[in-house]
Every structure is written in C-alpha cells, then in structure tokens.
Amino acid sequence: MLVHHLYSGGKDSSLAAWILTRLGYEVKLVTVSFGLLDNWRFARETAERLGFEHQVLYLPREVLEKAAEIAIEDGRPNNAIQFIHEKALEALASLPEVGRVSDGTRRDDRVPLLDLSKARSLEDRFGVAYIRPLLGLGYKTIRELTERLFIVEIRESEELEKADYEVELRHIMREKGLDPLEIFPKRHYQSRVLGWREKGI
Amino acid sequence: MLVHHLYSGGKDSSLAAWILTRLGYEVKLVTVSFGLLDNWRFARETAERLGFEHQVLYLPREVLEKAAEIAIEDGRPNNAIQFIHEKALEALASLPEVGRVSDGTRRDDRVPLLDLSKARSLEDRFGVAYIRPLLGLGYKTIRELTERLFIVEIRESEELEKADYEVELRHIMREKGLDPLEIFPKRHYQSRVLGWREKGI
C-alpha cells in the first residue's frame, strides 16, 4: 500500500507522513519544484533525517507564471497557492505508478484546501485515492502530536530554508521586478522539523 | 492522552477508534442511548471483541423527542440524525473528565457531519479537542483499511442489531403511531464488525 505524499519538510506534512506510516502505508515523500531554485533540498534533508524516501516532482514553469499572475491580480497569494497545490496534486495523481496521493492540508487551513467536490473530482479523474490525514484534526491535536514526535527549530524567517510553493513564487515575482512584500504578509517566525523526538517509523 | 470516542459498533467508528490508538491515544468508546432500548449492547459487544473500554452515555429523552419532531416535519431523517449527533458531542464534551472527543464521521457523509464553524464552536465552548480520524479519507481508503483490519458480517437489515441513533428514533416514531418507513429509506443490507482480522491494538 504505497502512498505518494506531497511534502514540504514542514510540521504539517511531516505529521501527515507519520500518520500514513501508522496506518500501514508505505510512504514516498514528493516535493514540488519549478526548477528555479533548489529549495526542495530542505525537504529532502528533513525527509532523510526522518527516514523517508524522497523524490522531486518538477512542474512546468508556466504553472508558476500563471500563479504569479493570479497573485498580482488579487494582491494576495491565497488563490495562487491554491492553484499551485491543485496542479501539484494533479501532476502527481497522473503518474502511472501513483495510486494514492496525500498531503498535509488541515481542517483549519484556508489554503491550500480542496473542497469535497474537488477532492472527489481528483480521485475520479485520475483513479486515485486522495488521503488527508490531518483534515479531521484541529490545531490542539496537531500541536500535541507534533510536540510529541518532532524536534522543531523555530527561527526568524529566512525564506530560502523552506521548500514550500511560496519561495519560488516570491522568486519569480522578483524576477518580474515586483516586490513580494506587497503581496505576501510578512511572517516573522517559521518552523522546521529537524528530526524525531521519539522514534516515529 | 485519553480520547472519548462516539461509537456505534459499525465499521466507520471502529476504524476511527483504531486510528486513534495508532496515533498513540488511549481510547474510551462511548455509545449514546436514550434509555428506550438496550441496542447499545451491540456496540459494547463489538467493543469487547476489539479490546476497547466501553461506556454508555445516556441523553435525555427530550432530545430524541425533538429529533422525531424534526424528522416528521422534514419527511426525512437527515436533520434529525444531525441534531442527535450534535447533542451527543456536546453532552460528551461537557463531562468534566473529557478533554478530547472523537467520532467516525467521514468526508463523504452528508449526515452527521459538523462543518468547520460548528467543529470549532464545539472545541471552543467546551474546551476540548475534536478529532475526526476519517474526515480526510475517501471511500476507497476506508474500504481498504476496514477490509484489512476487520472481520465484517453483512446481512439483511435487522434493525435491533445496530447501536446507531436511528434505532431508537424509529422506535419512538412507532410509539407515536407513525410508520418509520415513511421517513427512513429502506436499507437491505447492513454490516457489523465481528472482530479483528489482523490484531489491531
């Protein structure tokens, strides 16, 4: 029972990966890249520390270009992040070896998050199961599980140490001569999983 | 980390209970009764076969009366089942010893299912965490897990062998001289968990 799990190296996608192993699934972590930067390496490093297999899924630069257009049009990044996540799930689900896709999206997330009809549509169009281990968990439950499981480093934001979509999205906006700070809210702290606190898999 | 888990003895609530144990929670199964029938015993029997602690939570008969009114008014049971489930969660969450409540509701269920604002409201009003292990799973995933884990008996419907809300709701309608078949869809088959296929906890 192999699952391909979209992975950023953050707490949520790490917790979701752990839950999948606890349910008996074999888990392959997959980090999306548009090939502009190599920030996927932060996800790989965390994946290796946690003992998971890891691969990079390259998406076409046009997807990122389109996302940047959406973010500029909207003046905020939410719909752009949602757009990239849907394209990432579709690209992963369309691979012939993939029968189950997963991610770390949460009940309390606004984006990225597929509503019920989009989730079913993903499953139906690509013949996959779509598993979201965190969807039924609130922030208290996620916090108590991550605190038990992971050693987490919290530090002031340094953009390049993350492997989420936002990093390349900011990058392409700077390439276009735009200031990402006009669109992205300023975040002071971010967290990164460094390893297991108690041996998890 | 103790969770009180609303339990009917069916496949979904059994699977959700198993997932909770896999996440490291100590699980107490709780079956709701209005004291009209003792069909909660079917849930207890399954709970014992699976090796879980089990208790009965009695709700006031007025809740069932109100649910019957709703079902009669609507001509269908959905809102009545939803009403009972919300009252059950609230009653459980209000107990002083309860810090985490859980149920087996699924992504693809129409009822009972709390939307995001109701889920958060439950957590905030009672100071509990509300955990829904199946919320992020589709029917394929639930099927592959239940088939792996449980021995399930499928047989033609005999109402009294279930411990879900519907049984006492049908009963009170008959007490009022009404035919439940005018309100409930006829179901030909139902399933019951008989035990572990592979040792689960």
Side-chain angles (χ1 to χ4, degrees):
Chain A
M1 303 206 305
L2 176 64
V3 184
H4 288 79
H5 177 62
L6 284 178
Y7 187 67
S8 70
K11 285 191 291 188
D12 290 348
S13 59
S14 296
L15 177 61
W18 173 78
I19 292 176
L20 290 168
T21 66
R22 299 297 292 161
L23 303 187
Y25 290 102
E26 183 190 342
V27 180
K28 265 197 187 169
L29 304 184
V30 181
T31 300
V32 162
S33 174
F34 297 97
L36 270 69
L37 301 171
D38 67 352
N39 59 314
W40 58 265
R41 291 188 186 280
F42 297 109
R44 167 153 304 172
E45 190 186 319
T46 303
E48 282 172 358
R49 289 181 186 209
L50 297 178
F52 286 100
E53 273 191 75
H54 181 264
Q55 65 189 67
V56 178
L57 174 66
Y58 287 97
L59 293 193
R61 188 184 164 109
E62 295 80 62
V63 171
L64 188 64
E65 297 273 2
K66 174 75 182 160
E69 277 174 33
I70 294 170
I72 293 162
E73 170 87 17
D74 292 352
R76 58 197 194 102
N78 290 13
N79 293 330
I81 299 290
Q82 177 74 19
F83 175 76
I84 294 173
H85 191 63
E86 290 179 19
K87 292 295 177 193
L89 283 167
E90 288 169 2
L92 186 59
S94 72
L95 298 177
E97 71 272 23
V98 171
R100 296 176 196 83
V101 298
S102 172
D103 63 31
T105 54
R106 308 162 47 145
R107 188 192 79 180
D108 298 309
D109 283 340
R110 268 184 300 179
V111 293
L113 192 65
L114 270 62
D115 64 21
L116 178 57
S117 70
K118 281 190 173 172
R120 284 181 174 160
S121 165
L122 180 76
E123 292 187 326
D124 293 345
R125 280 179 293 145
F126 299 98
V128 298
Y130 176 38
I131 308 177
R132 290 179 285 185
L134 306 190
L135 199 67
L137 312 185
Y139 74 95
K140 275 188 190 179
T141 304
I142 288 171
R143 191 180 56 200
E144 81 181 352
L145 292 172
T146 49
E147 283 180 356
R148 197 183 92 214
L149 286 167
F150 301 120
I151 299 162
V152 175
E153 182 190 45
I154 297 172
R155 58 158 92 179
E156 285 199 66
S157 187
E158 284 176 69
E159 182 184 325
L160 286 184
E161 299 222 335
K162 291 200 80 171
D164 64 19
Y165 308 136
E166 194 176 315
V167 178
E168 282 178 296
L169 189 54
R170 283 169 179 265
H171 183 83
I172 200 173
M173 294 177 79
R174 274 192 298 264
E175 279 190 357
K176 293 174 186 295
L178 295 160
D179 179 4
L181 281 178
E182 289 179 10
I183 282 172
F184 290 91
K186 208 169 175 179
R187 294 190 304 191
H188 292 292
Y189 292 98
Q190 63 184 37
S191 64
R192 192 174 160 207
V193 171
L194 294 183
W196 295 112
R197 184 174 300 280
E198 58 179 52
K199 182 71 185 92
I201 59 167
Chain B
M1 302 206 306
L2 176 64
V3 184
H4 288 80
H5 176 62
L6 284 178
Y7 187 67
S8 70
K11 285 190 292 190
D12 291 347
S13 60
S14 296
L15 177 61
W18 172 78
I19 292 175
L20 291 167
T21 66
R22 299 296 291 159
L23 303 188
Y25 291 102
E26 183 190 343
V27 179
K28 265 197 186 167
L29 304 184
V30 180
T31 301
V32 162
S33 173
F34 297 97
L36 272 69
L37 301 171
D38 66 350
N39 59 313
W40 57 265
R41 291 188 186 280
F42 297 110
R44 168 152 304 173
E45 190 186 318
T46 303
E48 283 173 357
R49 289 182 186 208
L50 297 179
F52 286 101
E53 272 192 75
H54 181 263
Q55 64 189 68
V56 178
L57 175 66
Y58 287 97
L59 293 193
R61 188 183 162 110
E62 295 78 64
V63 172
L64 189 63
E65 296 274 2
K66 174 74 181 161
E69 276 174 34
I70 295 170
I72 293 162
E73 169 87 17
D74 291 354
R76 58 198 194 101
N78 289 12
N79 293 331
I81 298 290
Q82 178 73 18
F83 175 76
I84 295 173
H85 191 63
E86 290 178 19
K87 292 295 176 192
L89 283 166
E90 288 169 2
L92 186 60
S94 71
L95 299 177
E97 71 272 25
V98 171
R100 296 176 195 84
V101 298
S102 171
D103 63 31
T105 54
R106 306 161 49 146
R107 189 192 80 180
D108 297 310
D109 284 340
R110 268 184 298 179
V111 293
L113 193 63
L114 270 62
D115 63 23
L116 177 58
S117 70
K118 281 188 174 175
R120 284 179 174 162
S121 166
L122 179 76
E123 292 186 326
D124 293 343
R125 280 180 293 145
F126 299 97
V128 298
Y130 176 37
I131 309 177
R132 290 179 284 185
L134 306 191
L135 200 67
L137 313 184
Y139 74 95
K140 274 188 190 178
T141 304
I142 288 172
R143 192 179 57 200
E144 81 181 353
L145 292 172
T146 50
E147 284 179 356
R148 196 184 91 212
L149 286 166
F150 301 121
I151 299 163
V152 175
E153 181 190 46
I154 297 172
R155 59 157 89 180
E156 285 199 66
S157 186
E158 283 176 69
E159 183 184 324
L160 286 184
E161 299 222 335
K162 290 200 81 170
D164 63 20
Y165 309 135
E166 194 177 314
V167 177
E168 281 179 296
L169 190 54
R170 284 170 179 264
H171 183 82
I172 200 172
M173 294 178 79
R174 273 191 300 264
E175 278 190 357
K176 294 174 185 295
L178 295 161
D179 179 5
L181 280 178
E182 289 179 10
I183 283 172
F184 289 91
K186 209 170 175 178
R187 294 189 305 190
H188 292 292
Y189 293 99
Q190 62 183 37
S191 64
R192 192 174 159 207
V193 170
L194 295 183
W196 294 112
R197 185 174 299 281
E198 57 178 54
K199 183 70 186 91
I201 59 168

